[in-house]
Amino acid sequence: MTRDSSRAGRTESRRRPVTIHDVAREAGVSRGTVSRVLNGGHYVSPAARAAVDAAIRRTGYVVNRHARSLITGRSDSVAFLLTEPQERFFEDPNFSVLLRSCTQALADRDLPLLLMIAGTEDERRRNLRYIGAGHVDGVLLVSSHSGDPVVARLDEAGVPVVACGKPLGQSARISYVAADDRGGAREMVRHLYASGRRRIATVAGPADTPGGVERLVGYHETLAECGLPADEALVAVGDYSRASGETAAERLLERAPDLDAVFVASDLMAQGVLDALERAGRRVPEDVAVGGFDDSPAALASRPRLTTIRQPWDRISTEMVRMLLARMAGEEPSAVILPTELVPREST
Amino acid sequence: MTRDSSRAGRTESRRRPVTIHDVAREAGVSRGTVSRVLNGGHYVSPAARAAVDAAIRRTGYVVNRHARSLITGRSDSVAFLLTEPQERFFEDPNFSVLLRSCTQALADRDLPLLLMIAGTEDERRRNLRYIGAGHVDGVLLVSSHSGDPVVARLDEAGVPVVACGKPLGQSARISYVAADDRGGAREMVRHLYASGRRRIATVAGPADTPGGVERLVGYHETLAECGLPADEALVAVGDYSRASGETAAERLLERAPDLDAVFVASDLMAQGVLDALERAGRRVPEDVAVGGFDDSPAALASRPRLTTIRQPWDRISTEMVRMLLARMAGEEPSAVILPTELVPREST
DNA sequence: CTGAAAGCGCTTACAG
DNA sequence: CTGAAAGCGCTTACAG
């Protein structure tokens, strides 16, 4: 009796859900015909279709997805799989945007999104098992560190997957969409150069992440193009945390006290850089210009507000979903690189 | 052929999944017996069970959830439903913690979590329809604004739901778990008082949110207890945004220039308060103490670091899942209020 | 404790 | 274009 709202009227009763059989009887056709209109309406006369549509409306029928899946072999659902250091991802506002946009893009196709987290080996096994069993038609993968075993296992399982970011060091045939990290870095460094800076340092991300590698490459390329000498004293590495940015900046200041700009591979680290600079008595942007990456809330929250590089998260999600659907429809894997955008603010 | 990794060996073939039938044959028992060991192992001899277990291991069998659901009527999955101003929630780090913990707590019970977002009326309809169709066994609801129609409709649909936070202005019989907003506010104000502050102002949240109401009540109660006069000049209201905190502080400073402390109903607004205070030349905490609420990353990112109130998000999620499971098992709705914790830092 | 059998609600060839 | 029928993989009374 818990399940039964006793309100009178049109509340569809929970006790005997209306089935395709009821609709067929109501419409005066066979169940096969109802099913046909449900599945695209091919080979159905306009009259029959109209009758069925009306019956569906009258009865409030909604398909039983389990019965359908049992026979089609599809689950009509998609997994959003997050592997490893999830903590970091859940604190990353970009991740939230990604998750939300994917959910909505999928919802437009009437595909529920199953959120799966695989931080531990145990969770990894469980999720892989679930996916491997065909309980899901495709997976949207967020996995950053190189050599993630999940990538290979997913590939083996033969399930369509689209990754967010290029899976490092993987030969798996999986689709991915990524922001143009290198291009973004180039744009930022060019911007710094254009504003007159000539001793441009950088705080890179970890070498086993795409952002760590590509943004550093972009930095080096642009320096060379501008005719600025390469100087290892100007390069430090952080781990994307604010504290690591602070430490890196201290090292930089020590090795190259004459630096007049820092390109930082993430906004969070850039905040740390700002802290160190302030403590060292350098004014931003007067003495030192600071450029971040991500356009996260941190960029707006910091003082001065950070000039940064915006990644097109909305488009990334849209593309991921589009590509996954394509894979699910049998298309071959592909890759898409999306352009970033410079967001000038007060720190440069 | 896309679905077939051609690797040799034990990769379970995707083409003909092993069914309960295969296991039965392998174990030398009937399908009914296999099913019985799958479902708790009651009424099965130890010998039969051992044979079935071995056969399952040998064949790599994993149950077809669609077939099971078709007959049991359960979906063995749960929805995490987010209604309205989703943007705000997705930027709220607390929300991320909640989502992650719920996912994991559910995973421990082998229950997948479907993420559903109902920001627009259209999405609301679609999701309600999905849930109403019984595609999900229960729902974890995150909905803040009072009078959310979703609450009532969920209740009508007769599906078990547990809300995060007390659903305002609803008579629906739904379970909920909430942090002790009032108690947290009291603790903060008492802390401010204990440090010698006597002109304690507050920036409250919107009046149609539990946090807006309860934290303000806690503030008033504590002032009275401490024998401090109620003074409306000391009360301002914001909308949880940083900018609104700044504006509110300006108003406060104008109406009560002698204030020596501000209890702010969220860390984000507290950042805005810090901005205004700095611009007004007041030192924190020397001239004015500032207390926040949430213990969000913003509290750590701000300078000085914010003294704040931590909500027990881990426990909140655990409780929500536990209560939902209880509801799904037929128990009556209930409510749980969890204690908060003062986190002293540099701003007081 | 165990097997044979019915049936969950749908889709899909197969004949017409 | 349409109906009758088989069958998807499971669970669950029902007899033994």
Side-chain angles (χ1 to χ4, degrees), chain B residues 15-16 35 40 50 52 63 71 83 90 99 114 162 195 197 222 243 297 300 302 339 344:
Chain B
R15 53 170 48 119
R16 207 182 67 72
S35 181
V52 170
V63 69
I71 179 142
T83 76
F90 270 96
L99 180 56
L114 305 209
V162 174
S195 69
R197 315 291 171 163
T222 313
L300 266 176
S302 75

Short mmCIF file of all heavy atoms in Angstrom, two decimals, chain B residues 15-16 35 40 50 52 63 71 83 90 99 114 162 195 197 222 243 297 300 302 339 344:
data_model
loop_
_atom_site.label_atom_id
_atom_site.label_comp_id
_atom_site.label_asym_id
_atom_site.label_seq_id
_atom_site.Cartn_x
_atom_site.Cartn_y
_atom_site.Cartn_z
N ARG B 15 29.82 -12.94 -28.74
CA ARG B 15 28.76 -13.30 -29.67
C ARG B 15 27.64 -14.11 -29.04
O ARG B 15 26.49 -13.88 -29.29
CB ARG B 15 29.34 -14.00 -30.90
CG ARG B 15 30.23 -15.19 -30.64
CD ARG B 15 30.50 -15.88 -31.97
NE ARG B 15 30.90 -14.87 -32.97
CZ ARG B 15 32.07 -14.87 -33.59
NH1 ARG B 15 32.94 -15.85 -33.34
NH2 ARG B 15 32.37 -13.95 -34.48
N ARG B 16 28.01 -15.11 -28.22
CA ARG B 16 26.92 -15.80 -27.53
C ARG B 16 27.21 -15.76 -26.04
O ARG B 16 27.98 -16.58 -25.54
CB ARG B 16 26.77 -17.24 -28.00
CG ARG B 16 25.33 -17.77 -27.83
CD ARG B 16 25.18 -19.20 -28.26
NE ARG B 16 25.92 -20.11 -27.38
CZ ARG B 16 25.56 -20.39 -26.14
NH1 ARG B 16 24.48 -19.85 -25.63
NH2 ARG B 16 26.28 -21.21 -25.42
N SER B 35 19.34 -20.72 -10.60
CA SER B 35 18.71 -19.48 -10.20
C SER B 35 18.63 -19.37 -8.68
O SER B 35 18.86 -18.30 -8.11
CB SER B 35 17.30 -19.41 -10.79
OG SER B 35 16.68 -18.21 -10.42
N GLY B 40 20.53 -16.17 -3.40
CA GLY B 40 20.63 -16.37 -1.96
C GLY B 40 20.99 -17.78 -1.56
O GLY B 40 21.44 -18.03 -0.46
N ALA B 50 27.90 -25.96 -4.70
CA ALA B 50 29.32 -26.00 -5.07
C ALA B 50 29.46 -26.21 -6.57
O ALA B 50 30.25 -25.53 -7.24
CB ALA B 50 30.03 -27.10 -4.30
N VAL B 52 27.35 -25.49 -8.90
CA VAL B 52 26.92 -24.30 -9.62
C VAL B 52 27.97 -23.20 -9.52
O VAL B 52 28.33 -22.57 -10.53
CB VAL B 52 25.57 -23.78 -9.06
CG1 VAL B 52 25.25 -22.42 -9.63
CG2 VAL B 52 24.47 -24.77 -9.39
N VAL B 63 24.84 -12.64 -14.72
CA VAL B 63 23.39 -12.60 -14.93
C VAL B 63 22.97 -11.53 -15.93
O VAL B 63 23.56 -10.45 -16.00
CB VAL B 63 22.67 -12.36 -13.58
CG1 VAL B 63 22.94 -10.96 -13.09
CG2 VAL B 63 21.19 -12.63 -13.70
N ILE B 71 11.13 -10.08 -14.89
CA ILE B 71 10.29 -10.93 -14.06
C ILE B 71 10.12 -10.43 -12.63
O ILE B 71 9.03 -10.52 -12.08
CB ILE B 71 10.82 -12.38 -14.09
CG1 ILE B 71 9.95 -13.28 -13.21
CG2 ILE B 71 12.24 -12.47 -13.65
CD1 ILE B 71 9.76 -14.60 -13.80
N THR B 83 17.06 18.60 -9.33
CA THR B 83 16.09 19.48 -9.98
C THR B 83 16.58 20.92 -9.97
O THR B 83 17.40 21.29 -9.14
CB THR B 83 14.71 19.42 -9.28
OG1 THR B 83 14.78 20.17 -8.07
CG2 THR B 83 14.34 17.98 -8.95
N PHE B 90 26.18 22.20 -9.66
CA PHE B 90 27.37 21.61 -10.27
C PHE B 90 28.62 22.40 -9.93
O PHE B 90 29.72 21.91 -10.04
CB PHE B 90 27.19 21.48 -11.78
CG PHE B 90 26.58 20.17 -12.14
CD1 PHE B 90 25.22 20.05 -12.36
CD2 PHE B 90 27.37 19.03 -12.22
CE1 PHE B 90 24.67 18.82 -12.67
CE2 PHE B 90 26.82 17.81 -12.53
CZ PHE B 90 25.47 17.70 -12.75
N LEU B 99 27.48 13.44 -4.72
CA LEU B 99 27.28 12.55 -5.86
C LEU B 99 28.26 11.39 -5.83
O LEU B 99 27.89 10.23 -6.05
CB LEU B 99 27.45 13.36 -7.15
CG LEU B 99 27.27 12.60 -8.45
CD1 LEU B 99 25.92 11.92 -8.50
CD2 LEU B 99 27.42 13.54 -9.64
N LEU B 114 21.73 6.14 -11.77
CA LEU B 114 21.41 6.89 -12.99
C LEU B 114 21.39 8.36 -12.63
O LEU B 114 20.63 8.77 -11.75
CB LEU B 114 20.03 6.53 -13.53
CG LEU B 114 19.69 5.08 -13.85
CD1 LEU B 114 18.67 5.04 -14.98
CD2 LEU B 114 20.91 4.31 -14.24
N VAL B 162 14.44 9.65 -1.08
CA VAL B 162 15.11 10.27 0.06
C VAL B 162 15.70 11.57 -0.43
O VAL B 162 16.44 11.59 -1.41
CB VAL B 162 16.23 9.38 0.61
CG1 VAL B 162 16.98 10.11 1.71
CG2 VAL B 162 15.67 8.07 1.15
N SER B 195 35.23 34.80 21.28
CA SER B 195 36.49 35.48 20.98
C SER B 195 36.36 36.98 21.26
O SER B 195 37.20 37.77 20.82
CB SER B 195 36.90 35.22 19.54
OG SER B 195 36.02 35.87 18.65
N ARG B 197 33.79 39.15 20.40
CA ARG B 197 33.01 40.01 19.51
C ARG B 197 31.65 40.29 20.13
O ARG B 197 31.02 39.41 20.72
CB ARG B 197 32.81 39.31 18.16
CG ARG B 197 34.07 38.68 17.60
CD ARG B 197 35.08 39.73 17.17
NE ARG B 197 36.36 39.09 16.84
CZ ARG B 197 37.32 39.70 16.14
NH1 ARG B 197 37.17 40.94 15.71
NH2 ARG B 197 38.45 39.07 15.89
N THR B 222 21.25 32.46 19.19
CA THR B 222 22.49 32.55 19.94
C THR B 222 22.75 33.96 20.46
O THR B 222 23.21 34.16 21.58
CB THR B 222 23.67 32.09 19.07
OG1 THR B 222 23.30 30.87 18.45
CG2 THR B 222 24.91 31.88 19.92
N ALA B 243 29.41 37.79 -5.26
CA ALA B 243 29.04 39.19 -5.46
C ALA B 243 27.99 39.64 -4.45
O ALA B 243 28.05 40.76 -3.92
CB ALA B 243 28.54 39.40 -6.89
N PRO B 297 36.17 24.44 -0.88
CA PRO B 297 37.51 24.83 -1.29
C PRO B 297 37.72 26.33 -1.21
O PRO B 297 38.83 26.79 -0.95
CB PRO B 297 37.57 24.34 -2.73
CG PRO B 297 36.64 23.18 -2.79
CD PRO B 297 35.54 23.52 -1.82
N LEU B 300 39.43 27.54 1.88
CA LEU B 300 40.88 27.36 1.93
C LEU B 300 41.58 28.29 0.96
O LEU B 300 42.72 28.68 1.16
CB LEU B 300 41.23 25.92 1.58
CG LEU B 300 41.37 24.98 2.77
CD1 LEU B 300 41.63 23.57 2.30
CD2 LEU B 300 42.52 25.46 3.66
N SER B 302 40.64 31.33 0.10
CA SER B 302 40.59 32.76 0.42
C SER B 302 41.73 33.13 1.36
O SER B 302 42.27 32.30 2.08
CB SER B 302 39.24 33.09 1.06
OG SER B 302 39.20 32.62 2.38
N PRO B 339 25.00 16.25 12.74
CA PRO B 339 25.71 17.39 13.33
C PRO B 339 26.80 17.95 12.40
O PRO B 339 27.38 17.23 11.59
CB PRO B 339 26.35 16.81 14.58
CG PRO B 339 26.47 15.35 14.30
CD PRO B 339 25.31 15.00 13.42
N PRO B 344 38.07 25.96 12.73
CA PRO B 344 38.67 27.27 13.00
C PRO B 344 39.88 27.49 12.10
O PRO B 344 40.73 26.61 11.98
CB PRO B 344 39.11 27.16 14.46
CG PRO B 344 38.87 25.74 14.87
CD PRO B 344 38.47 24.96 13.71
#
